[in-house]
C-alpha cells in the first residue's frame, strides 16, 4: 500500500523541522522514516531605479524642460508596492505609486523660479523591500533670460547741404538685436 505524508506550514517560522513517520504491522518489525521540513523566509522584493539622478536645464521665463523618466523595477522576489515622493515645489511626479515594475515621469516647472541652481531628492519606498528607501537626486539649472542689445549700422551719419539750397538725401539707419530675447525699440533725436 501507500501512505500520503503531508507537511503543513501553519504558524511555523522560517527554519528546519524534523520528525519521524513510523510504519508498523502486526507481527512485523516497525520501520521509521525520518522527515525533514524546511520553511524558508517569505520572498522579499528589492526596489531598483534607473537612472539614480536627473538633471534639468531651462531658461527663466521660457518653456519648461522636457519630462524625464525613472524606471522602477523589483530586482528581488515577491510582490512590490512602491511610492514616490519629492521635496521640491517645482518638481512633479506621475504616478506617485504603483505595484510591480513601473515608470515615473518627472517634470519641472520653472515659471516662478529665478535664475540659479536648484536641488531636490526623490524618495522611492517599497513596503517589505530589503533596501527601502532608495533616492534619486535631481538638479535644475535655470539660466537667466537673454537680454536684448541694440546694434546700429552705420555707427554715425553725416549730412552736407548748401545754405539756402535743397535738403540732402535721406539716409537709412539699420537696427538689429545683437543680444537675445525680443528687442522692442524707439527712435528719437535732439535737434
Amino acid at each position: 500500500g501507500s501512505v500520503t505524508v503531508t507537511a503543513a506550514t501553519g504558524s511555523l517560522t522560517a527554519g528546519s523541522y524534523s520528525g519521524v513517520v513510523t510504519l508498523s504491522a502486526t507481527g512485523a518489525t516497525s520501520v521509521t522514516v525520518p522527515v525533514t521540513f524546511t520553511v524558508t523566509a517569505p520572498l522579499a522584493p528589492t526596489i531598483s531605479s534607473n537612472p539614480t539622478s536627473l538633471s534639468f536645464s531651462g531658461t527663466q521665463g521660457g518653456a519648461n524642460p522636457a519630462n524625464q523618466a525613472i524606471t522602477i523595477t523589483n530586482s528581488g522576489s515577491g510582490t512590490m508596492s512602491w511610492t514616490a515622493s519629492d521635496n521640491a515645489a517645482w518638481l512633479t511626479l506621475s504616478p506617485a505609486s504603483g505595484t510591480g515594475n513601473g515608470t515615473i515621469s518627472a517634470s519641472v516647472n520653472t515659471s516662478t523660479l529665478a535664475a540659479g541652481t536648484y536641488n531636490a531628492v526623490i524618495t522611492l519606498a517599497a513596503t517589505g523591500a530589503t533596501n527601502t528607501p532608495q533616492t534619486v537626486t535631481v538638479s535644475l539649472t535655470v539660466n537667466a533670460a537673454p537680454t536684448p542689445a541694440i546694434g546700429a549700422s552705420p555707427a554715425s551719419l553725416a549730412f552736407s547741404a548748401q545754405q539756402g539750397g535743397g535738403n540732402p538725401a535721406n539716409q537709412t539707419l539699420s537696427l538689429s538685436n545683437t543680444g537675445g530675447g525680443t528687442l522692442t525699440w524707439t527712435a528719437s533725436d535732439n535737434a
Side-chain angles (χ1 to χ4, degrees):
S2 64
V3 174
T4 300
V5 179
T6 303
T9 56
S11 62
L12 295 176
T13 59
S16 291
Y17 300 88
S18 58
V20 174
V21 174
T22 302
L23 304 171
S24 56
T26 305
T29 305
S30 300
V31 174
T32 57
V33 177
V35 177
T36 303
F37 183 25
T38 303
V39 177
T40 58
L43 300 175
T46 302
I47 189 169
S48 298
S49 66
N50 186 35
T52 57
S53 66
L54 300 175
S55 179
F56 293 91
S57 180
T59 301
Q60 185 180 23
N64 289 325
N67 295 355
Q68 294 185 31
I70 303 169
T71 302
I72 305 295
T73 55
N74 180 1
S75 56
S77 302
T79 302
M80 180 181 75
S81 293
W82 53 266
T83 60
S85 59
D86 65 76
N87 64 348
W90 47 265
L91 180 60
T92 303
L93 306 174
S94 179
S97 63
T99 300
N101 299 335
T103 301
I104 298 170
S105 178
S107 60
V108 298
N109 182 350
T110 61
S111 65
T112 61
L113 300 177
T117 301
Y118 300 84
N119 295 300
V121 175
I122 297 171
T123 302
L124 305 171
T127 305
T130 59
N131 63 337
T132 192
Q134 293 293 299
T135 58
V136 175
T137 58
V138 180
S139 68
L140 168 62
T141 301
V142 178
N143 299 307
T147 56
I150 297 176
S153 177
S156 65
L157 299 174
F159 291 92
S160 178
Q162 191 174 42
Q163 183 180 10
N167 289 330
N170 293 340
Q171 295 185 36
T172 301
L173 183 61
S174 296
L175 302 176
S176 63
N177 183 357
T178 59
T182 301
L183 176 67
T184 303
W185 57 269
T186 60
S188 61
D189 65 78
N190 68 348

